[in-house]
Amino acid sequence: MVALLEQALQRARDAGDLPITHLPEISVEPPRVKEFGDFASNVAMLLTREMRRPPREIADLIVKHLPEDALVSKVEVAGNGFINFTLHPDWLHEVVRDIQTKGDAYGRWDVGKGERVNVEFVSANPNGPITVAHGRGGAIGDVLANLLEAVGYQVTREFYVNDATNSLQMQHFARSLVVRYRQLLGEDIGLPEDGYAGEYLVDIARELLEREGAHLAEGDETEVLNRFRNYAEEAMKRQQQADLADFGVVFDVWFSENSLHTSGQVDAAIRELKERGHAYEHDGAVWLRSTVFGDDKDRVLVRNNGQPTYIAADAAYHRNKFERGFDYLIDIWGPDHHGYIARTRAAVAALGYPAENFEVLIYQIVRLFKGGDLVRMSKRAGNVVTLRDVLDEVGKDAARFFFLMRSHESPLDFDLELAKKESSENPVYYVQYAHARICSMLRVAGEQGWTVPAARETDLSVLREEAELVLMKKLDELPEEVLVAATERAPHRLTRYSMEVADAFHKFYDTCRVVGEEAPLTRARLVLVDATRLVLKNVLTLLGVSAPERM
RNA sequence: GCGCCCGUAGCUCAAUGGAUAGAGCAUCAGACUUCGGAUCUGAGGGUUGGGGGUUCGAGUCCCUCCGGGCGCGCCA
């Protein structure tokens, strides 16, 4: 289609009808309203400025020079200048053949050309369980990673563990665990003021007591704290990994912040920033000259007490990622971190890396409701709603689908009381049902001696019912949807698309029988139904949602 | 005060700068002798928060105002 238009523009220009200096970029898309045809192009509108003529006239000129093509059955110019193409139904039959040929690979691209992308997400602190908010980041990151793989990138999923030894949070965390441990031993003591009240610390303390005995809290205080902190971190990480795994999210790399400090990479990064002239000393501290790179103000890298800040570790961390050979870095952060984009980007640029290859995706908050009341969550107060709670309540498939139904930049309301009720009406079942229904149909067909025939040897021209055409057009959209979802960083588009495919299929099912028709029609429809199954399976796989054969 | 995000149907949301702004839920009315009724058909519902601008064309981009959320540390 694009090629046809290019030829037309070329010919029109050569004929002197289109006195333009260079050809515009041609885009062709399916129109929203099906009466306008199968594909539409807006090239004529793009030329109005240069041509100083109404779009309609320009469109007529272009169409006049349009070459013939066997698949194009009708070309019309709309009043507003759109060029509308109606195709011969055969092109849809080619789509169905293409799906069967490509199978699992249908919808995949090679635009990434194997370039390496690091997607860092969740990165919850090791002082508490994975929460629902992390769950949203987990779903977005995991599916974005799937999408990038599908369009040809080599993707690493990475979790950054904020296990820096000197972090105040981790000190409080360790102290709280010591208190819980001693409480189990019968001591009547309370949590420290900045302590963590969550029940999960009691569980860890109990586990610690059972495994390591009752003498762990004795001895030098610093050593005791270190011992407890290490154990708590390890236990927390194990739990986080297990929860995420049950959510379908598995990381390739768990990267320790502390390792950056102990290996000297933080110092090295600071040194390099100084050498490059982007760091300076002031008031006894070392500052990053981030304002040069667009930040509001300069940021402290090393405090006047000699301790490096979080941003210093982050500079080292992103340097480390680039040095590991990644071409692109994508960080997925919660909304409370948006203020850190500018300084992190500044650090990346100051270290000499291409800032345009470093991207931060901010997803908006998850607001929790219980029976319509907003729940304020606080890790220290211990009233977090965990990802595990949600998984127990609605299951992996519904949870992932729910998190991905909204754009990442839109806030998400999650009502726990409604979660279960909603789960029976959750759109995920609508999509999964379509898949299960197809599998059931194929089973029934199999019992009657039918198998899905090879599309190449099947006459698909009998597929001309309206519902069949709509379904085939929808199946045709998968590759484009995958590409757009990947490049726009919009995994939520897949949930919508999956619902549209299911919708088109259910409507087809309602009007067209498969088994029981004349044999040629049954064969053609078996091919179509099986192609639908493949598309549903592929899109659900990208979403990390199971495609059940029975429900 | 500054920054980021949001404001679209009763509710929750969607819409690579394109044509008549779409789904789900909810409400109301219908459809199976047959491949899975977790389905399908239909109806009502909208000044896309207000105002300006850019554009052939704006829910989308720019400015401004209003409303809401979040963040603005030598914490992580």
Side-chain angles (χ1 to χ4, degrees):
Chain A
M1 210 71 50
V2 173
L4 286 180
L5 282 168
E6 266 169 8
Q7 281 184 49
L9 288 173
Q10 206 60 263
R11 288 188 191 181
R13 187 160 74 163
D14 294 346
D17 285 344
L18 276 183
I20 50 174
T21 50
H22 38 253
L23 301 177
E25 191 168 329
I26 297 171
S27 86
V28 173
E29 57 190 25
R32 282 192 190 166
V33 184
K34 61 173 186 273
E35 282 73 27
F36 293 137
D38 297 314
F39 289 97
S41 179
N42 63 349
V43 260
M45 285 94 127
L46 299 178
L47 294 171
T48 47
R49 183 185 283 267
E50 191 168 352
M51 293 281 293
R52 300 190 168 281
R53 305 273 285 282
R56 164 107 216 199
E57 264 180 51
I58 302 170
D60 283 330
L61 282 175
I62 296 170
V63 170
K64 202 174 85 183
H65 291 280
L66 207 59
E68 293 282 321
D69 189 280
L71 278 180
V72 177
S73 68
K74 191 168 72 172
V75 179
E76 283 177 317
V77 174
N80 55 11
F82 269 105
I83 302 174
N84 294 329
F85 296 87
T86 302
L87 300 189
H88 194 276
D90 280 352
W91 80 276
L92 286 169
H93 306 142
E94 276 312 308
V95 169
V96 175
R97 290 195 179 92
D98 190 44
I99 294 170
Q100 194 185 68
T101 305
K102 290 187 174 144
D104 292 346
Y106 179 65
R108 302 185 83 89
W109 298 75
D110 189 30
V111 295
K113 302 196 184 328
E115 287 188 304
R116 298 183 61 200
V117 185
N118 181 292
V119 183
E120 182 221 316
F121 58 110
V122 184
S123 299
N125 288 344
N127 56 11
I130 302 291
T131 67
V132 273
H134 296 131
R136 184 177 196 189
I140 291 168
D142 190 45
V143 175
L144 180 59
N146 287 344
L147 280 164
L148 290 169
E149 280 171 345
V151 298
Y153 290 94
Q154 195 182 327
V155 180
T156 295
R157 292 165 171 78
E158 186 151 323
F159 186 116
Y160 185 51
V161 185
N162 296 125
D163 55 0
T165 317
N166 293 309
S167 130
L168 272 177
Q169 284 186 20
M170 292 312 291
Q171 307 271 353
H172 293 314
F173 184 62
R175 280 206 185 85
S176 304
L177 181 62
V178 174
V179 168
R180 290 304 194 193
Y181 176 85
R182 289 167 61 179
Q183 285 175 342
L184 288 176
L185 290 173
E187 291 189 47
D188 182 21
I189 49 174
L191 284 172
E193 196 166 327
D194 291 313
Y196 287 72
E199 276 298 306
Y200 58 92
L201 266 182
V202 180
D203 296 336
I204 294 174
R206 189 171 296 118
E207 182 185 292
L208 189 54
L209 183 60
E210 282 166 12
R211 282 203 196 177
E212 308 288 333
H215 302 287
L216 283 182
E218 296 165 11
D220 177 73
E221 193 191 338
T222 313
E223 268 178 40
V224 168
L225 277 181
N226 273 338
R227 195 180 300 146
F228 275 74
R229 203 201 60 233
N230 289 341
Y231 192 88
E233 256 177 48
E234 201 43 51
M236 225 51 261
K237 189 167 144 185
R238 275 203 315 273
Q239 190 187 321
Q240 290 182 346
Q241 282 173 330
D243 290 354
L244 286 165
D246 286 348
F247 189 51
V249 178
V250 176
F251 288 90
D252 303 301
V253 177
W254 288 68
F255 193 97
S256 155
E257 177 190 358
N258 204 41
S259 74
L260 291 168
H261 294 282
T262 55
S263 66
Q265 291 182 67
V266 174
D267 292 340
I270 293 167
R271 205 180 316 124
E272 184 167 340
L273 286 167
K274 280 183 182 164
E275 282 164 10
R276 290 174 172 266
H278 299 312
Y280 61 94
E281 302 206 8
H282 177 70
D283 285 347
V286 179
W287 296 71
L288 172 67
R289 208 183 295 280
S290 51
T291 46
V292 173
F293 302 97
D295 199 2
D296 314 348
K297 51 183 189 180
D298 290 349
R299 307 290 171 178
V300 170
L301 287 168
V302 184
R303 304 180 184 100
N304 57 18
N305 67 3
Q307 291 292 339
T309 61
Y310 183 79
I311 185 68
D314 238 17
Y317 179 40
H318 287 85
R319 185 172 96 130
N320 175 289
K321 288 197 222 176
F322 274 116
E323 289 306 309
R324 270 186 277 155
F326 292 107
D327 301 298
Y328 298 95
L329 310 183
I330 299 178
D331 290 6
I332 297 175
W333 296 347
D336 48 338
H337 284 75
H338 80 258
Y340 295 80
I341 297 175
R343 69 192 69 170
T344 308
R345 184 172 295 281
V348 166
L351 285 165
Y353 299 105
E356 66 274 13
N357 289 3
F358 167 63
E359 199 179 318
V360 179
L361 225 67
I362 297 287
Y363 62 88
Q364 292 303 310
I365 50 164
V366 177
R367 290 196 306 168
L368 269 195
F369 289 83
K370 256 181 184 162
D373 298 325
L374 184 62
V375 179
R376 300 294 298 189
M377 290 198 294
S378 156
K379 203 182 295 177
R380 289 201 178 153
N383 60 349
V384 285
V385 176
T386 64
L387 179 61
R388 171 66 58 191
D389 294 336
V390 174
L391 287 175
D392 289 346
E393 198 79 18
V394 301
K396 179 195 78 161
D397 289 342
R400 286 182 72 114
F401 205 89
F402 193 92
F403 279 129
L404 290 165
M405 276 174 38
R406 286 145 182 74
S407 154
H408 65 85
E409 55 195 12
S410 175
L412 173 71
D413 286 349
F414 205 118
D415 193 317
L416 284 174
E417 311 243 317
L418 285 177
K420 202 162 195 170
K421 177 172 164 276
E422 278 186 0
S423 74
S424 62
E425 299 153 1
N426 194 305
V428 68
Y429 294 106
Y430 181 75
V431 179
Q432 290 182 316
Y433 178 66
H435 186 269
R437 197 179 215 186
I438 290 172
C439 291
S440 170
M441 289 169 78
L442 295 177
R443 277 194 300 271
V444 170
E447 285 161 13
Q448 299 185 21
W450 293 101
T451 53
V452 176
R456 294 275 158 221
E457 296 156 15
T458 307
D459 176 17
L460 298 178
S461 66
V462 291
L463 301 175
R464 7 189 102 247
E465 288 282 335
E466 179 63 20
E468 292 168 326
L469 299 177
V470 169
L471 177 58
M472 289 188 283
K473 273 183 205 171
K474 195 48 75 179
L475 300 183
D476 174 56
E477 289 172 17
L478 177 68
E480 182 70 15
E481 275 302 320
V482 169
L483 187 62
V484 172
T487 54
E488 301 289 319
R489 318 295 190 227
H492 72 281
R493 294 183 64 111
L494 291 182
T495 54
R496 182 156 293 267
Y497 174 70
S498 71
M499 287 187 274
E500 289 169 0
V501 174
D503 181 59
F505 171 73
H506 287 310
K507 286 180 167 71
F508 158 81
Y509 178 87
D510 202 54
T511 51
C512 302
R513 283 199 58 82
V514 177
V515 177
E517 294 286 353
E518 298 289 320
L521 188 53
T522 292
R523 273 199 295 273
R525 284 182 175 164
L526 280 171
V527 173
L528 174 58
V529 163
D530 196 51
T532 307
R533 181 188 60 78
L534 260 167
V535 168
L536 284 171
K537 181 158 166 289
N538 289 357
V539 68
L540 286 172
T541 301
L542 283 169
L543 285 166
V545 172
S546 60
E549 297 187 4
R550 289 187 167 83
M551 292 172 68

